[in-house]
Amino acid sequence: MTNLLARRQFAPAYIWLDIAFLLVFATLLILKKKYMTVAVGLAAGVLYMIVDYGIFHLLTHSRSIYNGYSLFWVLLWMSMSYGFTNFTWIWLWIQKDKNLVSWSVMILLWWFVAPFLARLFSGNALPIIIERTTGKYHGIMAVILFAGYLTIIIYNLMQKDSEKRVNILWLLAIGILVQLGWESALLAGGIRSAGMEGLDKLLPLVVNSVLETNLGMPLIYPLFILYSSRFTETFARKNPTCSFTDRIAENNAERVRQKN
């Protein structure tokens, strides 16, 4: 576990195809007036870059890239791509958007087909191979994960009104399944763990899905509750506003599929 290796190998055309997808995805969100969702995705992309390049590369020296490609530019694309996609999807899940099924199918389908399309358009270009070891920081991530969910558990234990308790299983489902969908699609497309065999090939999928994106859920959920108790997706102020705990109860009562 201390030497867990997370590796990706993909054709250069993957980057340009994915940028095109991101532009389409962002445009659709804007057309549906999901302005705050887009803002969250952009902020997450910047945060991913700070963590991936600033911490994983500059601080822990755990990042490596091969075949002469620029680590900075590849990480900038990766951070904006997966930061934007993952966290817009998470925000849509938390708010139980009525079009969640459509958004989810689009994202998962793209993650699956993109590697095959990239190989089709890349010809004989050398693949981009980028990897990171996780032994230097997964322990810190585990502490953050435990502390975050422990805080929510303590809140729930102290909250007498069951309707105002946080649905922990819902948060876990989102936090784990979003990255599991991403990791599984990359694995099926030959990007994740390329050149690795057996347990080494599957461990990044399991560990990353439970740990990495999931550790942010205890933070992003209260941010969503705090924001949505006062403002709408179009940045308009709600009238009337509601309290933090009342918004939790309201969110718990909401369902993904709205009645016609």
Side-chain angles (χ1 to χ4, degrees):
M1 288 296 293
T2 56
N3 295 317
L4 183 65
L5 184 66
R7 176 188 295 162
R8 294 179 196 154
Q9 176 177 317
F10 51 91
Y14 188 99
I15 294 177
W16 306 110
L17 290 168
D18 190 64
I19 290 173
F21 168 77
L22 291 173
L23 292 174
V24 171
F25 181 34
T27 300
L28 290 173
L29 288 170
I30 292 171
L31 289 175
K32 297 300 291 184
K33 298 184 178 181
K34 312 299 290 187
Y35 303 151
M36 185 58 188
T37 301
V38 172
V40 167
L42 292 174
V46 173
L47 178 62
Y48 267 44
M49 185 59 178
I50 293 171
V51 172
D52 222 349
Y53 191 79
I55 297 178
F56 294 168
H57 173 56
L58 296 179
L59 186 61
T60 66
H61 306 291
S62 60
R63 273 290 188 193
S64 302
I65 193 168
Y66 305 98
N67 290 338
Y69 294 98
S70 167
L71 181 62
F72 177 84
W73 291 111
V74 171
L75 283 182
L76 179 61
W77 158 72
M78 283 175 52
S79 298
M80 294 307 300
S81 174
Y82 296 117
F84 183 84
T85 311
N86 282 359
F87 277 84
T88 52
W89 195 17
I90 286 172
W91 199 259
L92 292 166
W93 270 82
I94 295 176
Q95 66 184 258
K96 301 175 183 176
D97 184 81
K98 64 180 180 180
N99 296 308
L100 181 60
V101 173
S102 296
W103 297 121
S104 301
V105 171
M106 182 177 68
I107 291 169
L108 289 170
L109 188 61
W110 173 248
W111 281 341
F112 178 75
V113 304
F116 301 100
L117 292 176
R119 288 195 288 270
L120 180 65
F121 291 108
S122 288
N124 296 322
L126 289 174
I128 298 171
I129 302 174
I130 187 167
E131 63 186 29
R132 62 184 164 94
T133 54
T134 61
K136 293 183 179 180
Y137 53 82
H138 261 181
I140 297 173
M141 285 184 165
V143 171
I144 296 172
L145 175 74
F146 181 74
Y149 276 101
L150 179 61
T151 301
I152 291 178
I153 289 169
I154 292 173
Y155 164 81
N156 279 356
L157 291 174
M158 300 298 292
Q159 179 57 250
K160 295 181 180 180
D161 189 343
S162 61
E163 294 182 352
K164 296 181 178 180
R165 293 173 186 159
V166 177
N167 189 338
I168 296 177
L169 292 180
W170 179 245
L171 293 193
L172 283 169
I174 298 171
I176 293 173
L177 292 177
V178 163
Q179 180 134 354
L180 181 62
W182 167 28
E183 297 279 356
S184 299
L186 293 182
L187 184 65
I191 289 181
R192 170 61 80 198
S193 302
M196 300 166 66
E197 300 293 338
L199 193 59
D200 290 337
K201 196 176 188 73
L202 295 177
L203 266 180
L205 181 149
V206 176
V207 175
N208 291 352
S209 297
V210 175
L211 181 59
E212 295 195 352
T213 299
N214 190 33
L215 69 83
M217 292 306 300
L219 177 60
I220 194 171
Y221 181 75
L223 288 177
F224 166 80
I225 293 298
L226 185 63
Y227 176 84
S228 62
S229 66
R230 291 167 173 79
F231 299 95
T232 69
E233 268 289 307
T234 59
F235 305 129
R237 187 170 182 83
K238 284 186 174 179
N239 188 19
T241 60
C242 63
S243 69
F244 186 86
T245 54
D246 284 342
R247 180 66 184 107
I248 291 177
E250 185 179 77
N251 182 246
N252 287 337
E254 292 167 348
R255 295 292 179 265
V256 171
R257 293 183 180 276
Q258 294 186 350
K259 294 181 180 180
N260 294 326

